[in-house]
Amino acid sequence: MTTHTAESGAGTFTFSHWDEKPVAGADSGARIAHAAVTNDFTGTIEATGTSCEYTLVYTDETTGAFVGYEFVEGTVEGRTGSFVLEQRGSFGADGTITCALTVQPGSGTGELAGLGGTGAFTARHGEPSVPYTFTYTIG
């Protein structure tokens, strides 16, 4: 049996594109929207032009929750491949966005085959660069 040690890392990501479209509901009340997002990561994860798809639930004009999946092709601590991050979070009236990240099991390719991991970020609405944490194992 092989033991895999968890590695901890961090970095930042930057929104390079955000395209949000309403799906259902009223502008001032509960509604659902879809957002196609492109991010650039630096740090433990190095990737440019990721593809992320979010479904957002607004409970009023500024508060709600979201879930999304992000396809990341790049490197984790120098190992090359791709993987999918599941993202679940919420956003509040004060502009704070919190999110938990989980590597989708079985999604790693190349040198990232067998990648598992979790992470998180806290962002402020309007700030383009967001710090993240990421703890992972490979194997």
Side-chain angles (χ1 to χ4, degrees):
M1 179 176 188
T2 304
T3 302
H4 303 284
T5 304
E7 301 289 334
S8 292
T12 60
F13 68 90
T14 304
F15 296 103
S16 57
H17 177 76
W18 183 283
D19 182 24
E20 186 173 329
K21 293 184 172 36
V23 174
D27 286 342
S28 60
R31 66 187 188 279
I32 296 173
H34 176 260
V37 180
T38 304
N39 294 312
D40 297 326
F41 282 80
T42 61
T44 300
I45 301 170
E46 293 280 340
T48 57
T50 67
S51 178
C52 186
E53 299 291 324
Y54 287 116
T55 298
L56 302 102
V57 177
Y58 289 87
T59 53
D60 61 33
E61 288 187 42
T62 58
T63 306
F66 62 91
V67 63
Y69 290 93
E70 184 164 18
F71 183 81
V72 179
E73 186 170 13
T75 64
V76 174
E77 293 292 340
R79 296 174 183 95
T80 302
S82 64
F83 60 97
V84 175
L85 280 175
E86 178 183 78
Q87 301 185 25
R88 291 186 177 273
S90 62
F91 48 96
D94 67 353
T96 300
I97 303 154
T98 58
C99 182
L101 309 170
T102 304
V103 174
Q104 183 65 35
S107 68
T109 67
E111 294 175 323
L112 300 177
L115 178 69
T118 59
F121 67 81
T122 300
R124 297 281 305 157
H125 183 71
E127 292 180 0
S129 186
V130 178
Y132 68 87
T133 59
F134 187 60
T135 301
Y136 67 94
T137 58
I138 298 177

